[in-house]
Every structure is written in structure tokens, then in C-alpha cells.
Amino acid sequence: MYLKKILWVVALLGLLVCGFVAYQIYNAIFSPNTQFNNNEAFVYIASDATFADVKSSLDPLLKDLATFEAVAKRKGYITNVKAGKYALKKGMNNNEIINTLRSANIPVRVSFNNQESLESLAGRISEQLEADSVSLLQAFNDSDFLRETNFDEDSKLGMYLPNTYEFFWNTKAEGFRDRMLKEYRAFWNEERLRKAKAQNLTPEQVIALAAVVQKETAKVDERRRVAGVYLNRIRKGILLQADPTVIFAIKKETGNYDTIIKRVLYRDLEMDSPYNTYKYAGVPPGPITMPDISSIEAVLNPEKHEYLYFVADVSNFGYHMFAKTLAQHNRNKVQYTRWLNEQKVLR
């Protein structure tokens, strides 16, 4: 009888211990374990991150790092860390946190516009993705890639169409580049190719001319008219004589794309560069900036008119005065030259 009591006590104690252990395990797995006040917190895990790196990132966000580590070990996450951007919700438990870090990599929105060089593009993208500017620039300039895709030193900037795209934060440099090639090819559908052919331009020439249009006017509603001027000049065999191409030639020669030039001087027009449209006929060999899609569409769908000239309109800043004859253009030009002199804009 006495032995029976002892066995019952031992059994009861065993149940209590098991219950306590089970409670502790349940509590570790399913109790809320966040300590941030916002509704969610974002965690960035690098491609080469270890579990120690993950713990370091989570330390300010969790109440109990030890229970998180215990559950992570049980679920095999410690040896299977996944790179990416993850959103932790307020009140999540360890089980939910680990499930999120395993399979809920969320995309980021990547935007860029009007960069004048691949170096500046690489810098812009590296601010938004894990890939650094060096690896991005290497991917952009990869000779094998350029050869296989028929881009060259002058045209390669035109492959990147300014827009907002979704990427996973841990996308590699090559992955970003290859996605941009896919977007470029999708953009040049049959209809746009037909319109380019109607202007006697290749897609690369359309983008190069659109870049000039982009630099000439910031007014979207004026771009089709400006594009029409340049296409009229090309058809008549007249030099484009676009000041932005001269400015770009100066920047390209010096390597300083941050140079600010507000006034093109007569001596600049003598610069021997294929980008100097005062000396070389036709479209520049490549884009002088990344044109907006609105500028590309302006070249593909130009306004039909007989204008051959335009100059900034100082009575309506941002817009231009257009002319069909050189005599009319020279009269229009007087007001702009006078304004430059009055403002003491010498360079």
C-alpha cells in the first residue's frame, strides 16, 4: 500500500514536470515575442548573413532572444538562413517569426530616372538593393553581355528604361541587369518597332533622340512638338544643333557629369565629338541621358508641323518659341539672349 502511494506521487510529479516542460515549450513557441511599438518592423538579411547576424538584427525587436534561438534550432532555421527583406508584425510569436523569415521575402520598389551615366545608375540602384555599386557597374559593363545583346559603349545606357519596378531586396547585380533587358525587350513591341521604322530610326536611335528631347524640355506636353522639330531637321538633312548634346560632350570628355553648364558658348560648338550635333549630322551615337518613356513616345508619335527651330520662351519659362524659318527664329532668339545677359548667365 505504501509502495502504491509512492508510485502515485512519482507519477503525479512526472506529470507535473511534463506539464511544466510542455508549458515552457508552448510558451517559447506560441507566446508573443515582439517588443516594438509600430504595427510592423522590417528586417534585412544579407546574402552572406549567419544566424548570429540574424540574432543581431532581431535583438532590438524581440523580448526574448533565447527562446527565439531555441525555436529556430528546433525548426532547422539556424542552418538555413534566407536572405531578403522581411516584415515582422507586432505580437508575432517565435513560430510565426521563423516562418516569416523562412518564406515571406517581400519585394521592394526600385525607382530610377534620367541618370546620365551607368555610374550614376549603379549608385542609385545600390541605395535600394543589396547589390553594391561596384558589382552593378561590373554587370552593366560586362563585355560578354554587351556583345550578346548588341549594345555598345554608346548605346548601353539606353537599355535601362526609367520607371518603378519590383525586385527582391537581395537581387544580385546580374539579376537586376537581366530584368532590365527583359523590360527593354518587352517595351519594344511590334507596334513601337513599326512606329520607329516609320521614322526611319532604330530603337537605339529613338532612345538617343528621345534623350535630346528630354534635355530640351521638362514639359511633357511640349515633347511631341520638340520631337517633331528634330525629325523635320533629320528629314531635310539639317544638323540637329542641340545644345544639350554639346553639354554632354563636354561632360563626357572631362568625366565630370556633375558640371553645371547653363550657357553654351560659340567655342563649345567647335568641339570635335560625335555627340556635338553642331558638327555631326543625324542622331547622336547614344543617349545623353535616360529619357522618360514620355520622351520616347514623343519621338514615336511626334507632332506633325513645319517647325525647324525653337528657343526658350522667357515669358513662359519651361516652354519654347517655335519657328519655321531662320529669320523668324533669330527674332525669337533675341529675347532669350537678352535675358541671359541681363541675368549675367555667362556659363
Side-chain angles (χ1 to χ4, degrees):
M1 189 74 175
Y2 180 71
L3 183 59
K4 260 187 183 181
K5 287 184 178 180
I6 293 175
L7 290 174
W8 274 107
V9 171
V10 170
L12 184 59
L13 288 173
L15 286 172
L16 289 173
V17 169
C18 289
F20 178 77
V21 171
Y23 171 78
Q24 290 293 94
I25 293 174
Y26 180 90
N27 191 56
I29 296 175
F30 298 109
S31 292
N33 192 27
T34 61
Q35 65 173 359
F36 48 86
N37 294 321
N38 295 333
N39 290 328
E40 63 182 3
F42 294 103
V43 178
Y44 294 84
I45 299 177
S47 296
D48 60 352
T50 64
F51 183 68
D53 296 321
V54 175
K55 286 198 300 179
S56 179
S57 297
L58 293 178
D59 191 21
L61 304 176
L62 304 186
K63 294 178 182 176
D64 190 339
L65 204 59
T67 58
F68 167 78
E69 183 171 2
V71 177
K73 187 174 183 179
R74 289 175 64 87
K75 293 176 72 73
Y77 176 75
I78 287 179
T79 57
N80 194 26
V81 171
K82 301 287 183 65
K85 176 186 178 182
Y86 302 93
L88 303 186
K89 305 295 184 182
K90 184 178 181 180
M92 270 186 167
N93 58 49
N94 288 323
N95 189 59
E96 292 170 328
I97 292 169
I98 292 165
N99 287 344
T100 296
L101 297 178
R102 270 179 155 177
S103 59
N105 190 5
I106 60 176
V108 297
R109 293 171 68 82
V110 175
S111 301
F112 59 92
N113 57 6
N114 310 136
Q115 270 66 44
E116 292 187 3
S117 67
L118 289 177
E119 287 81 3
S120 61
L121 174 63
R124 180 84 178 93
I125 301 306
S126 68
E127 296 171 352
Q128 302 171 77
L129 294 179
E130 180 187 14
D132 61 33
S133 58
V134 173
S135 64
L136 286 162
L137 197 56
Q138 287 174 342
F140 298 163
N141 289 321
D142 181 78
S143 58
D144 291 336
F145 172 81
L146 294 175
R147 183 175 60 254
E148 291 167 4
T149 54
N150 294 318
F151 287 99
D152 58 27
E153 187 64 29
D154 291 305
S155 65
K156 60 188 179 183
L157 182 67
M159 193 190 89
Y160 302 88
L161 298 175
N163 212 329
T164 298
Y165 304 91
E166 282 196 346
F167 285 90
F168 287 117
W169 174 75
N170 55 308
T171 298
K172 302 295 184 187
E174 293 79 9
F176 172 81
R177 177 201 64 194
D178 294 347
R179 165 75 181 283
M180 289 298 95
L181 174 63
K182 184 178 179 180
E183 295 287 346
Y184 176 86
R185 287 174 170 169
F187 178 82
W188 285 106
N189 54 30
E190 288 186 14
E191 182 181 3
R192 289 194 176 102
L193 289 172
R194 177 182 59 77
K195 289 180 177 181
K197 188 175 182 180
Q199 303 297 342
N200 290 318
L201 298 175
T202 66
E204 291 77 19
Q205 288 174 319
V206 169
I207 288 178
L209 187 57
V212 179
V213 173
Q214 176 84 28
K215 280 294 187 180
E216 287 285 17
T217 179
K219 302 296 184 181
V220 175
D221 60 339
E222 192 184 54
R223 286 174 178 166
R224 291 182 62 239
R225 178 166 293 186
V226 171
V229 170
Y230 285 131
L231 288 165
N232 285 345
R233 292 177 75 93
I234 289 172
R235 280 192 286 269
K236 291 178 178 292
I238 304 173
L239 293 171
L240 294 186
Q241 295 183 323
D243 287 0
T245 66
V246 179
I247 294 171
F248 178 81
I250 295 171
K251 292 180 177 182
K252 186 173 177 65
E253 182 175 87
T254 61
N256 183 5
Y257 289 91
D258 294 326
T259 302
I260 297 176
I261 300 175
K262 295 182 179 180
R263 185 171 189 171
V264 173
L265 307 177
Y266 285 114
R267 68 170 183 266
D268 298 327
L269 306 184
E270 298 303 317
M271 185 176 185
D272 189 16
S273 165
Y275 284 92
N276 182 357
T277 55
Y278 280 84
K279 288 181 71 73
Y280 291 88
V283 179
I288 61 175
T289 190
M290 289 180 187
D292 289 345
I293 289 176
S294 64
S295 293
I296 299 173
E297 293 290 2
V299 175
L300 293 174
N301 304 279
E303 184 179 301
K304 297 186 185 305
H305 54 61
E306 297 180 0
Y307 296 128
L308 293 171
Y309 308 91
F310 63 91
V311 67
D313 184 353
V314 298
S315 66
N316 190 13
F317 278 106
Y319 288 94
H320 295 79
M321 301 174 71
F322 293 82
K324 298 177 182 179
T325 68
L326 181 59
Q328 182 185 0
H329 172 65
N330 285 336
R331 289 194 295 272
N332 291 341
K333 189 178 176 181
V334 169
Q335 50 91 41
Y336 180 58
T337 303
R338 182 186 301 120
W339 180 84
L340 286 175
N341 292 334
E342 289 173 352
Q343 300 299 314
K344 294 182 169 46
V345 178
L346 305 176
R347 189 53 166 157

